[in-house]
Amino acid sequence: MNLAPRPDQATDDACRTPAGPTALGAEEAQQKALVFKALADPNRLRLLSIVKADASGETCVCDLTAPLDLGQPTVSHHLKILVEAGLLRREKRGTWAYYSLVPSALDDAAGILGDL
Amino acid sequence: MNLAPRPDQATDDACRTPAGPTALGAEEAQQKALVFKALADPNRLRLLSIVKADASGETCVCDLTAPLDLGQPTVSHHLKILVEAGLLRREKRGTWAYYSLVPSALDDAAGILGDL
DNA sequence: TGCTCATATTGATGACAGTCAATATCGAGG
DNA sequence: CCTCGATATTGACTGTCATCAATATGAGCA
């Protein structure tokens, strides 16, 4: 690859950086992609938004099922993914389950983009 | 849903916020999820990382194919997705194609998380 | 013109994700 | 204990995604 000189640039190795020492490794990339996988669904973004907007800081599942146009098992599934991604925290009190934002988890995700 | 009193909370409507006026609508959510869909793949994160780390600010495709362990068509495909998500910019000079970060695109994505 | 090289597009394939219906679990109350 | 109501789990289905091999495009050059 790339043995001939290029039209518009110097022919030295400046452009041929193999994988810059500062670039992301394969494992780190896979790790970091997990958070964005969790954020890559509109319904999950709405769930996060609702939980964040809730004044009490804790939102019951029954209040998350209605606004989204989804069945209860599906909402439960999305919530599980958000918990596993470290974005939400689940606390069960009696029959009800309350979800709350993990403090600074969203900021951490934003931070990933800052120092890619 | 939710007609009986709850164990630990007041019975008034404070918790029953149907979809808080501040919560994300369906269309906005779908829109915002697009960026994260683009970020939700480890190889695309690595591509962004390499382009960002490149001193020249412009990276040729031939330098992006090697570090990732992927075929050239696959890399081209990922680059297209990143361009369509508004994260990368493509400039073709002669036979070569150079990709560069769209200024502040990553910050904008991070901003979405800030004011979910 | 015709060849070569860099990149993009197409088509096919296997893996994964979102959704639902049905069912399981588990606490609360009678 | 037995039922009810809230949430979680399972299984199946469907659509989307990542990847590759093959091919197309299109610029540079002899």
Side-chain angles (χ1 to χ4, degrees):
Chain A
M1 68 75 148
N2 196 19
L3 295 170
R6 301 200 190 148
D8 210 359
Q9 291 211 345
T11 316
D12 66 352
D13 283 20
C15 170
R16 223 164 295 127
T17 321
T22 58
L24 225 54
E27 308 79 12
E28 321 166 56
Q30 182 134 12
Q31 187 68 28
K32 299 187 178 188
L34 289 180
V35 190
F36 296 115
K37 267 192 211 297
L39 293 168
D41 181 277
N43 289 314
R44 287 198 286 269
L45 284 182
R46 297 186 74 188
L47 285 174
L48 287 174
S49 168
I50 295 172
V51 171
K52 185 178 184 185
D54 192 312
S56 71
E58 284 186 329
T59 316
C60 160
V61 176
C62 60
D63 294 332
L64 293 169
T65 310
L68 274 57
D69 206 19
L70 295 175
Q72 174 265 321
T74 304
V75 173
S76 191
H77 172 238
H78 284 311
L79 288 170
K80 186 178 189 179
I81 289 177
L82 289 171
V83 168
E84 286 172 345
L87 295 168
L88 285 186
R89 190 176 130 268
R90 188 182 101 120
E91 187 190 353
K92 193 152 192 180
R93 282 203 297 271
T95 311
W96 283 269
Y98 297 91
Y99 286 86
S100 54
L101 280 184
V102 169
S104 85
L106 287 177
D107 294 336
D108 291 352
I112 295 179
L113 297 178
D115 39 56
L116 246 186
Chain B
M1 70 77 147
N2 195 20
L3 295 170
R6 301 199 191 148
D8 211 359
Q9 291 211 345
T11 316
D12 66 352
D13 284 19
C15 170
R16 222 164 293 127
T17 321
T22 58
L24 225 55
E27 307 79 12
E28 320 165 57
Q30 180 134 14
Q31 187 66 28
K32 299 187 178 185
L34 289 179
V35 191
F36 296 115
K37 267 192 210 296
L39 293 167
D41 181 277
N43 289 315
R44 287 199 286 271
L45 285 182
R46 298 186 73 188
L47 285 173
L48 287 173
S49 168
I50 295 172
V51 171
K52 186 178 183 185
D54 192 310
S56 71
E58 284 186 329
T59 316
C60 161
V61 176
C62 60
D63 294 333
L64 293 169
T65 310
L68 273 55
D69 206 18
L70 295 175
Q72 174 266 322
T74 304
V75 173
S76 191
H77 172 238
H78 284 311
L79 288 169
K80 186 178 189 179
I81 289 177
L82 289 171
V83 167
E84 285 172 345
L87 294 168
L88 285 186
R89 190 175 129 270
R90 187 183 103 121
E91 187 189 355
K92 193 152 191 179
R93 283 203 296 271
T95 310
W96 284 270
Y98 297 92
Y99 286 85
S100 54
L101 280 184
V102 169
S104 84
L106 286 177
D107 294 336
D108 291 352
I112 295 179
L113 297 178
D115 38 58
L116 247 187

